[in-house]
């Protein structure tokens, strides 16, 4: 069976510090991978998605970047965090591209920028 | 603009009671609609998915309905349990690209 991992589970970082969140998927190959941010009282916002190693698409301009160094690894980064980067970050995977494919979410990372 | 609205924002019910959550959307062209359950501090888990031609889908005590003409969906929970306490998120997909539009969710609290 497939599982998706995210770490760390929680993170408190000062403004201006770097960020690295990691997501890995087990039990499947060549998944589509996604990074979402969930702000309090608002719907999930798609930040990045990837259909293969080294292939990253950005949905919104922002202070963050993503990389996919391996087939089942997806990393979310920032060189200098802003207060507005605080939120709940979710990684997800799907078997294919498009709305007909189910997305499976990881447990999330709670990021607080102070 | 593609949008998904949900009501109520929050709901408190007693264990054993039924409840209905609402979702209105303006996503076009419509592909499908999903309901997710998200426990506090966890990732969402899919409950149901409905395409244009489906007007009802059940998953245990959860029953979702879809009216594609009025662009409305509802999620009915029967005989609620304490474990139903969670946020319920309506997600509507457009028929192109990676276009998933997430609603803000309804926070349900089931009290003993």
């Amino acid at each position: 069976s497939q599982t998706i991992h995210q770490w760390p589970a929680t993170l408190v970082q000062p403004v201006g510090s770097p960020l690295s969140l990691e997501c890995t998927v087990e039990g499947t190959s060549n998944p589509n991978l996604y990074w979402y941010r969930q702000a309090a009282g608002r719907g999930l916002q798609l930040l990045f998605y990837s259909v293969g190693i080294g292939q990253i698409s950005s949905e919104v301009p922002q202070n963050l970047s993503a990389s996919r160094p391996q087939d089942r690894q997806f990393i979310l980064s920032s060189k200098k965090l802003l207060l507005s980067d605080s939120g709940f970050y979710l990684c997800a995977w799907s078997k294919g591209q498009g709305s007909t494919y189910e997305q499976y979410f990881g447990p999330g990372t709670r990021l607080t920028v102070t | 603009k593609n949008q998904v609205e949900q009501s109520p924002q929050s709901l408190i019910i007693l264990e054993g009671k039924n409840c209905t959550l609402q979702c209105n959307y303006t996503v076009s062209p419509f592909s499908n609609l999903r309901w997710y359950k998200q426990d506090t501090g966890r990732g969402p888990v899919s409950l149901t998915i409905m395409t244009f031609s489906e007007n009802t889908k059940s998953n245990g005590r959860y029953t979702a309905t879809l009216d594609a003409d009025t662009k409305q969906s509802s999620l009915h929970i029967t005989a609620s349990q304490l474990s139903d306490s969670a946020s319920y998120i309506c997600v509507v997909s457009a028929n192109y690209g990676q276009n998933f539009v997430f609603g803000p969710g309804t926070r349900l609290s089931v009290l003993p």
Side-chain angles (χ1 to χ4, degrees):
Chain A
S1 63
Q2 300 87 7
T3 54
I4 178 169
H5 304 279
Q6 285 185 247
W7 63 90
T10 60
L11 190 60
V12 180
Q13 292 282 99
V15 169
S17 64
L19 173 73
S20 181
L21 303 181
E22 189 165 343
C23 170
T24 59
V25 180
E26 296 178 354
T28 188
S29 59
N30 197 30
N32 279 19
L33 296 172
Y34 309 84
W35 277 113
Y36 288 91
R37 176 168 55 205
Q38 187 175 34
R42 303 184 67 178
L44 273 70
Q45 180 185 37
L46 179 63
L47 302 176
F48 301 96
Y49 70 92
S50 171
V51 299
I53 296 175
Q55 300 179 62
I56 308 294
S57 296
S58 174
E59 289 293 299
V60 293
Q62 58 204 306
N63 183 43
L64 302 169
S65 62
S67 62
R68 184 169 178 175
Q70 300 180 44
D71 180 46
R72 288 169 289 177
Q73 184 185 31
F74 205 22
I75 297 173
L76 185 68
S77 304
S78 174
K79 293 182 179 179
K80 291 185 178 181
L81 283 169
L82 306 172
L83 286 175
S84 58
D85 291 324
S86 293
F88 192 51
Y89 288 84
L90 287 159
C91 181
W93 74 274
S94 67
K95 293 181 181 179
Q97 190 173 358
S99 63
T100 57
Y101 290 93
E102 189 66 66
Q103 290 194 4
Y104 302 93
F105 289 85
T109 294
R110 173 72 60 190
L111 172 65
T112 303
V113 183
T114 61
Chain B
K1 181 180 179 183
N2 289 335
Q3 282 187 314
V4 175
E5 298 177 343
Q6 292 187 242
S7 62
Q9 184 176 5
S10 62
L11 183 62
I12 300 174
I13 62 174
L14 294 177
E15 186 178 13
K17 298 297 185 182
N18 304 335
C19 67
T20 300
L21 314 180
Q22 300 292 339
C23 172
N24 297 331
Y25 63 91
T26 59
V27 178
S28 181
F30 176 86
S31 176
N32 55 61
L33 184 148
R34 292 178 169 90
W35 282 94
Y36 282 87
K37 177 185 179 186
Q38 184 177 21
D39 293 319
T40 300
R42 306 293 294 176
V45 175
S46 180
L47 294 175
T48 64
I49 178 172
M50 288 181 292
T51 60
F52 185 88
S53 59
E54 298 174 297
N55 55 26
T56 186
K57 183 73 70 76
S58 291
N59 177 1
R61 295 179 296 102
Y62 300 102
T63 299
T65 64
L66 173 65
D67 186 333
D69 291 331
T70 62
K71 298 186 177 180
Q72 296 179 325
S73 176
S74 65
L75 180 69
H76 186 75
I77 304 175
T78 304
S80 61
Q81 301 176 358
L82 298 179
S83 59
D84 292 331
S85 295
S87 286
Y88 291 84
I89 301 172
C90 177
V91 184
V92 183
S93 300
N95 200 16
Y96 60 90
Q98 302 288 341
N99 206 336
F100 295 85
V101 185
F102 288 78
T106 292
R107 163 65 66 178
L108 174 66
S109 299
V110 181
L111 303 181

